[in-house]
């Protein structure tokens, strides 16, 4: 089927390729990409046959909200917009309501798989009306991995449920990565294990901890056995924060995922005001030696 | 090759089957199992041709130490004992030294895979001398999963390194499980996602969080979509505790794995003295209502 | 000076008494309290001489916002409203803007001290304009504890800064209480210490951990040495949640205060969906025994 | 009464002064201190009248164990040794048994108060036999703060119980300090609060979080309002580690105190292998930018 695709970056560009390889017609738009098929959103709208399906794959927050707002003026009643970015679920209600004023449908779709999705397929979590889901199913089927549909695709609930599911997925991801990382550091620190990369690789098959993330850690250690080229500095892109906020809103204990989030915050601090305060207290009560700021 | 195998329980019994299916001759001993081929350790020793290889697969701690001690008196110089149980790595030095007095070799082998290992193969992490590893390699090759040897087997280092690696593996496992569990609880608690089992299943392929543990969670939710038949009571068998202790011994920050461990402790408490104390404090300073013990 | 005081509950009632004992004229209003001096907010406004100072001491959230909104219609330009409740700092900007439309000033004042404040005085953290702070200083001086003003009172910053400071104060409070509680539980669990209440009481003087909260724990253990009458069920009233949310918003690592918050969430769960999921996973991979729901 | 005091460092030296001011005769020994009254342990033993009481106040671990072992050969049946250092409780059984072979009594005494103890008195937690406690009570009474004995002294239980109590005290201390520190960092990071030291000082009286540690934080901020001269590098001296280990041994959930301990470990790392691993994983799956090691 025909699809408008806005955003041809790392994710959107790969998705366009996977969709075209599956026989779909993708009209791509990205002001920053040579691969753009049209020069403007207006041209995109003009080029698509109604009823249109337009997939938005731009950075979450302002860029996505602005794109949806602009589409509200360019598309027609009966068209359908899918936000496949990492938007916060609270944006979805807003976007859906705005488009509904123009008779335009809206779905949110959480997309997992990173740069590997073009080859492996993407895990998809969708929120919206059943009829919209049905209409876009050929697209979902092309994007998701081979195998039974339900192992790479879910209609999670109403508008917002797709991004909510993706948010939780990413929160889990934080916890999983930190668990592997802590184990890796202990193996690294303890003298008994002599070949840490070999041990990590030996977990690839048969073990309880085998996973795709483990495979990636093996890959990273193959390339750089001491991870010597990397700084221990870890960004975050929002979903982990939202997951913990939602845990708080729903009174759900979340010690592990929150600890993983806070470890990232710490990793980005050159100096910790909190630990300065602890050092100050130790000095005050015990006359303990402190390290001077340099 | 010929192998003596002590302990034919859930793990040992399955391993015996996998080894025999691979053409090895297994002489099994277990006082509690019908499948036992001999009636005593002495008979086991008598039945094996020297130089013997004996695999110990009994509960960690006292039972394993006692078995090794008894073997020290029954085996001969040149024989080789492999402890495949979940022993603490500190037991290995002791066991190796005891056997060395009799000229008997010792290796420790961490074995991962649970009840699925018979079919899938077991992930193996070995500690000991290179010559011992070489000698037992046919056994390791039969036990480990199909595929490249290094993806299911590692010679981690000297005696103790195998169990150390397995200990860390299990610590990671605690963190992974808790991460999935926290995400599951949030999906469960938040009203937006209507079909939690479908969302979890949709993570099976293509996503960043796909793993064998995730597959097992899918399986559990297929059998019981609300996990209604289970209590939220989680045992632990020691490796998680040792992992955190080792983190402390090596000054390794371990917020996630420790949080997973403490969540298990909490899950087993009918009543928390700590939370009684917090409730008491709130009542004292603020006159806040408390819940009376029943 | 003259003060209107809305809300004569556990906090407001005690504050009225302390203010009157200091020679101030308090006109109190509370529809649910016999001690109310007037029958309505309108009557309160009528009874106070302009320019009025009105202190709002009602539950945070809706009740406080509604009260401020009603005051906006009853007070006059030049009057001053102080919100002394546990409002979220984000409410303050809204309240201040609403009142400013009528020329009415606004301050937020975080108040700490609980039911002990009447006797000991209250710790006060104020947000607002310097001229407003100056005007209400006689009230603050009467409410705060004896001693240097700066040891019980701070002008923290602009509108919102008072409640923000109180929010952080309460977040710290969560962490402090949980620290004592965990230590108490360990003393309780370990067999070596025979007289736990005596040990806790011995920390009252001279030690590094002495504090007012410790004094209250001693008091609670004097009354009930085993805390046998209390359930380990701990409510929370919002400030701890907001503190962690603000930590997330500001990328501040907050492992301890968040752990204290999550411990409260756990304390209120009859059954943990997360720990059911962990139990399910252990059963799936290892055939480990589980506890059935009852 | 007469007391031998071994170790005249920061703690022992102050204690000697406090004891002498209370009228006790202290014979001090410290090979590194000018204030030493004798030149050797043998001379110390010779100078004291039997039955002797000797207080050991040297670094925990080897130095304390060695001192006790040497005393076993120098003292006589009926003498009494008190270890007032920060020894691990497991050392106490060993020390007591060693001395008992010579008919020498043993007590362990946890001492809290830091460099302020000389002026304020020390909080004391004692483990040992009631008759030994009784015998040394004049010493304890001189060391503890003014006021009721039970507010600065406890006989916690048998040998080891004093150090166990002190260990838990220090674990709590870790949690308390980290709670204040996290709150301080949030105040510091958030733009709304303009005068952080003033807010912290305003908590000194009347508030729920008032404590001696808070007073010390106020003092530190008075001296250096931005803590600009300190690095956020925090040592630990063992008791926090042992507290968490004991929590693990007794299945006590300890999320807060363990988080405080791990924050210290992190504060001392120039580079985190764990966070390198997380960065590597993000790069692998998402092509996310990483920071290169420098």
């Amino acid at each position: 089927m025909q699809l408008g695709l806005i955003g041809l970056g790392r994710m959107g560009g790969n998705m366009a390729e996977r969709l075209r390889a599956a026989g779909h017609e993708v009209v791509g738009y990205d002001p920053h990409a040579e691969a753009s098929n049209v020069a403007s959103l207006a041209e995109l709208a003009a080029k698509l046959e109604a009823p249109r399906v337009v997939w938005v794959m731009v950075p979450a927050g302002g860029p996505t909200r602005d794109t949806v707002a602009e589409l509200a003026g360019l598309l027609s009643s009966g068209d359908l917009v899918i936000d496949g970015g990492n938007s916060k679920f609270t944006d979805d209600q807003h976007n859906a309501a705005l488009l509904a004023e123009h008779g335009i449908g809206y779905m949110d779709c959480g997309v997992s798989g990173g740069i590997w999705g073009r080859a492996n397929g993407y895990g998809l979590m969708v929120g919206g009306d059943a009829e919209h889901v049905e209409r876009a199913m050929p697209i979902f089927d092309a994007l998701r991995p081979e195998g039974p549909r339900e192992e790479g695709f879910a209609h999670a609930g109403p508008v917002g449920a797709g991004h909510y599911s993706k948010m939780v997925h990413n929160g889990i991801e934080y916890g999983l990565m930190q668990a592997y990382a802590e184990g890796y550091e202990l193996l690294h620190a303890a003298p008994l294990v002599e070949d840490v990369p070999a041990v990590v690789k030996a977990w690839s098959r048969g073990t309880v901890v085998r996973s795709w993330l483990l495979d990636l850690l093996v890959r990273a250690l193959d390339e750089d056995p001491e991870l010597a080229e990397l700084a221990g500095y870890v960004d975050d892109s929002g979903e982990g924060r939202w997951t913990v906020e939602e845990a708080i809103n729903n009174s759900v204990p979340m010690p592990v995922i929150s600890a993983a989030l806070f470890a990232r915050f710490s990793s980005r601090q050159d100096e910790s005001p909190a630990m300065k305060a602890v050092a100050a207290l130790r000095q005050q009560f015990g006359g303990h030696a402190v390290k001077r700021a340099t």
Side-chain angles (χ1 to χ4, degrees), chain A:
Chain A
M1 60 183 274
Q2 192 193 47
L3 181 79
L5 177 54
I6 303 169
L8 300 171
R10 209 158 43 200
M11 289 295 287
N14 280 338
M15 290 163 72
E17 290 190 36
R18 185 169 174 95
L19 287 166
R20 283 175 181 138
H24 295 293
E25 181 197 347
V26 177
V27 182
Y29 170 65
D30 190 327
H32 308 299
E34 276 190 40
S36 191
N37 303 114
V38 292
S40 67
L41 282 185
E43 195 183 330
L44 179 86
K47 195 153 181 183
L48 297 170
E49 290 167 53
R52 305 170 187 88
V53 180
V54 179
W55 187 291
V56 181
M57 205 68 196
V58 303
T64 294
R65 285 191 302 265
D66 293 350
T67 301
V68 169
E70 201 176 341
L71 287 174
L74 294 170
L75 300 182
S76 315
S77 180
D79 290 351
L80 175 60
V81 171
I82 305 170
D83 176 12
N86 272 328
S87 299
K88 194 167 179 179
F89 68 95
T90 46
D91 281 357
D92 293 315
Q93 291 291 349
H94 175 81
N95 288 339
L98 185 71
L99 293 170
E101 291 173 20
H102 301 264
I104 307 166
Y106 179 85
M107 276 196 295
D108 52 288
C109 179
V111 177
S112 177
I115 54 178
W116 301 76
R118 188 176 62 180
N120 297 344
Y122 300 90
L124 306 174
M125 299 138 257
V126 174
D129 292 348
E131 59 169 327
H132 294 148
V133 174
E134 196 56 37
R135 192 155 134 208
M137 195 58 88
I139 300 299
F140 296 141
D141 277 340
L143 288 174
R144 70 171 175 79
E146 308 269 308
R149 181 185 286 164
E150 66 269 23
E151 295 186 1
F153 170 90
H155 181 194
V159 164
H163 280 141
Y164 201 97
S165 299
K166 177 59 169 28
M167 174 195 80
V168 175
H169 162 284
N170 281 33
I172 291 171
E173 183 187 302
Y174 279 49
L176 301 180
M177 286 197 277
Q178 189 70 23
Y180 285 118
E182 290 179 8
Y184 167 76
E185 180 165 336
L186 179 54
L187 286 179
H188 201 265
L192 201 48
V193 173
E194 292 174 343
D195 192 344
V196 174
V199 168
V200 174
K201 183 176 281 189
W203 294 340
S204 301
R205 295 171 187 253
T207 70
V208 175
V209 303
R210 67 190 191 262
S211 73
W212 188 60
L213 280 166
L214 192 270
D215 293 343
L216 294 179
L217 184 56
V218 169
R219 206 166 171 271
L221 291 169
D222 275 347
E223 296 171 2
D224 180 0
E226 289 285 322
L227 303 179
E229 292 186 19
L230 289 172
Y233 178 102
V234 185
D235 264 316
D236 77 283
S237 50
E239 297 89 350
R241 298 177 190 233
W242 307 335
T243 303
V244 178
E245 284 168 6
E246 273 297 289
I248 292 173
N249 289 340
N250 289 282
S251 301
V252 169
M254 196 164 267
V256 158
I257 294 175
S258 63
L261 177 66
F262 292 139
R264 293 191 178 193
F265 291 172
S266 288
S267 81
R268 304 200 298 258
Q269 293 188 311
D270 280 330
E271 190 54 278
S272 160
M275 300 320 286
K276 278 171 177 268
V278 176
L281 285 171
R282 290 186 86 236
Q283 184 183 36
Q284 288 287 338
F285 74 69
H288 293 290
V290 293
K291 209 169 157 183
R292 295 276 145 202
T294 50

